[in-house]
Amino acid sequence: MSLRKYIFSFTFIGQILASILIVFGVGWLFIHWLTFATNHNEVVVVPNVSKLSEDDAKDKLDDANLEMVLLDTIDYNPAYAKLAVIEQFPLAGSSVKEGRKIYIKINANNY
């Protein structure tokens, strides 16, 4: 059998079509599995923990299934209570996935 007859034969065309269907099928399954595995469209709104103490902020974030990470203390600001949260990232009201780390910075204890 010549190469030309083989390329245009029913067997070869059937194998090409089958391989294309398998590739698209596996791709489609992967995309749907990825949507499920990454909890697509399942979000939590970040609560506002500004001006709360570190312990209160941790409790509030734990209630929302979020993890708190203390980054640093900022120079003392008399407008805030000692050791109160001054900054947070992501900001309050942002939509994030469960278990996301919320980074906070707290006010220093003194000047």
Side-chain angles (χ1 to χ4, degrees), residues 10-101:
F10 179 74
T11 304
F12 182 73
I13 292 172
Q15 289 174 351
I16 293 294
L17 290 176
S19 63
I20 290 171
L21 287 174
I22 289 171
V23 167
F24 280 112
V26 168
W28 183 81
L29 287 173
F30 177 73
I31 294 298
H32 285 299
W33 171 80
L34 194 59
T35 300
F36 172 75
T38 59
N39 298 329
H40 191 66
N41 289 334
E42 294 179 20
V43 295
V44 175
V45 177
V46 177
N48 185 9
V49 294
S50 181
K51 298 184 179 182
L52 294 178
S53 70
E54 183 182 351
D55 294 332
D56 292 340
K58 182 161 179 54
D59 291 340
K60 194 168 188 178
L61 291 173
D62 283 344
D63 291 342
N65 292 326
L66 299 169
E67 184 179 338
M68 184 183 83
V69 176
L70 177 61
L71 285 181
D72 197 9
T73 57
I74 297 179
D75 290 336
Y76 183 73
N77 184 346
Y80 290 88
K82 294 178 180 181
L83 301 176
V85 176
I86 292 182
E87 294 179 14
Q88 74 181 64
F89 182 79
L91 298 174
S94 301
S95 297
V96 297
K97 297 195 180 198
E98 282 188 7
R100 168 83 189 258
K101 293 179 181 176

